[in-house]
């Protein structure tokens, strides 16, 4: 719009008769568009405001209901999230995303039978969705169904080789099954493109600790804390690794930091 305005002013200003009128109209249009642009920036303030605005404008949009539900889920406002996920499913029963989103939510609430049904439906609707398989893997872990969890995480990273969370959880299941080599390989593949997840370094540290490689365990635990210095579970493991590595002073200092963070 601004480009068109400038072009029009340029053409009209060549004629003395229209010059003042053209500039005046251009100024008014510029002010008007600037104001509406300013108002629109409020909508794009964050994902919550964006999707709330979309829902206000299109209340029967399954996408808007689903995406706003996901934002409420992140904020742990589960009642509102459930309401919006269910509305999205009602509006479009063939839309897989709200089903696996709601399935993940019910997994967190320990409504396991309900969660499983939603997740299975989501995978049937869209078998090529990495998150549907990932969320089913999370559900399977809660049920200690390790082969199913393993298969689901493998599918998630096969569908998206850059799905970081899939590799983290895949390594966790391999570790639980005692397959340390595959657990490390999953994390090595992750580190090729993403070194920002503290959970990945924690998992690698746990593997090395189980293999009695305390030096490598310490290195990975410390890396996890550089990224997330309030990662409580890591402090306990790091203190253990220091102790096993013959560094009781560092072990004590690590536990003191842990106690400070927990307020104990």
């Amino acid at each position: 719009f601004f480009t068109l305005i400038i072009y029009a002013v340029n053409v009209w200003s060549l004629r003395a008769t229209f010059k003042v009128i053209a500039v005046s109209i251009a100024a008014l249009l510029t002010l008007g568009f600037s104001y509406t642009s300013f108002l629109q920036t409020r909508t794009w303030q964050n994902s919550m405001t964006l999707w709330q605005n979309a829902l206000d404008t299109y209340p029967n949009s399954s996408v808007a209901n689903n995406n706003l539900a996901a934002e409420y889920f992140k904020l742990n406002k589960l009642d509102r999230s459930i309401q919006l996920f269910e509305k999205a499913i009602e509006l479009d029963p063939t839309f897989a995303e709200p089903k696996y989103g709601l399935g993940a939510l019910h997994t967190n609430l320990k409504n396991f039978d309900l969660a499983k049904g939603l997740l299975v439906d989501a995978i049937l609707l869209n078998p090529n969705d990495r998150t549907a398989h990932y969320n089913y893997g999370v559900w399977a872990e809660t049920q200690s169904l390790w082969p199913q969890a393993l298969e689901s995480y493998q599918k998630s990273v096969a569908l998206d080789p850059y799905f970081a969370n899939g590799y983290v959880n895949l390594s966790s299941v391999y570790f639980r099954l005692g397959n340390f080599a595959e657990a490390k390989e999953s994390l090595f593949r992750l580190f090729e493109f993403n070194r920002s997840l503290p959970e990945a370094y924690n998992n690698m540290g746990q593997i090395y600790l189980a293999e009695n490689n305390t030096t490598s365990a310490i290195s990975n635990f410390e890396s996890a804390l550089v990224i997330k210095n309030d990662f409580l579970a890591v402090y306990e493991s790091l203190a253990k690794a220091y102790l096993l590595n013959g560094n009781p002073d560092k072990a004590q200092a690590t536990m003191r930091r842990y106690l400070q963070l927990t307020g104990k």
Side-chain angles (χ1 to χ4, degrees):
F1 284 118
F2 284 120
T3 304
L4 291 172
I5 291 169
I6 292 168
Y7 177 76
V9 169
N10 183 57
V11 172
W12 291 346
S13 65
L14 296 176
R15 303 182 183 182
T17 308
F18 297 113
K19 188 170 185 177
V20 174
I21 297 174
V23 171
S24 299
I25 292 173
L28 289 172
L29 288 173
T30 301
L31 286 172
F33 285 131
S34 296
Y35 179 68
T36 54
S37 295
F38 168 73
L39 293 178
Q40 189 65 12
T41 60
R42 295 182 178 181
T43 299
W44 288 81
Q45 185 176 5
N46 54 53
S47 295
M48 180 67 79
T49 58
L50 174 65
W51 291 112
Q52 183 62 63
N53 178 266
L55 187 63
D56 292 341
T57 307
Y58 305 103
N60 291 324
S61 166
S62 58
V63 172
N65 276 277
N66 172 71
N67 290 4
L68 187 57
E71 293 304 316
Y72 276 111
F73 190 7
K74 293 175 187 175
L75 296 175
N76 204 37
K77 296 183 177 180
L78 302 185
D79 289 342
R80 179 60 174 152
S81 183
I82 290 171
Q83 181 185 35
L84 290 164
F85 275 136
E86 289 180 342
K87 181 64 175 178
I89 294 169
E90 177 187 335
L91 289 167
D92 185 0
T94 66
F95 188 18
E97 286 190 30
K99 290 197 173 186
Y100 66 64
L102 188 56
L105 190 156
H106 281 299
T107 298
N108 284 5
L109 292 175
K110 303 187 187 306
N111 298 326
F112 297 123
D113 289 341
L114 181 57
K116 181 182 180 181
L118 288 161
L119 294 167
V120 169
D121 284 349
I123 292 171
L124 290 173
L125 287 169
N126 191 353
N128 294 320
D129 192 305
R130 67 175 196 185
T131 309
H133 291 285
Y134 174 83
N135 287 357
Y136 186 83
V138 173
W139 172 87
E141 276 199 79
T142 66
Q143 306 301 296
S144 299
L145 299 173
W146 308 118
Q148 290 185 34
L150 188 66
E151 181 182 6
S152 295
Y153 294 140
Q154 287 172 332
K155 285 181 179 177
S156 74
V157 297
L159 289 165
D160 181 359
Y162 298 100
F163 185 27
N165 289 335
Y167 288 108
V168 171
N169 285 28
L170 184 59
S171 71
S172 296
V173 175
Y174 274 129
F175 176 73
R176 187 175 287 274
L177 293 173
N179 192 337
F180 296 164
E182 289 290 351
K184 285 193 287 188
E185 179 59 29
S186 298
L187 294 171
F188 286 139
R189 279 185 282 168
L190 168 61
F191 289 147
E192 289 176 1
F193 65 89
N194 189 324
R195 291 180 171 271
S196 65
L197 294 179
E199 295 82 5
Y201 288 100
N202 178 53
N203 283 9
M204 188 67 89
Q206 299 295 345
I207 298 166
Y208 281 125
L209 192 59
E211 292 179 333
N212 295 316
N213 186 344
T214 54
T215 301
S216 294
I218 289 168
S219 175
N220 279 276
F221 290 140
E222 288 177 340
S223 294
L225 292 177
V226 167
I227 300 169
K228 185 179 180 182
N229 63 10
D230 61 348
F231 198 159
L232 296 179
V234 175
Y235 282 98
E236 295 183 87
S237 298
L238 179 57
K240 180 180 178 181
Y242 277 137
L243 196 60
L244 292 172
N245 203 42
N247 295 310
D249 292 341
K250 286 189 175 182
Q252 289 179 359
T254 301
M255 286 309 298
R256 282 197 297 269
R257 178 59 179 157
Y258 170 79
L259 294 173
Q260 287 175 353
L261 290 171
T262 57
K264 295 180 180 179

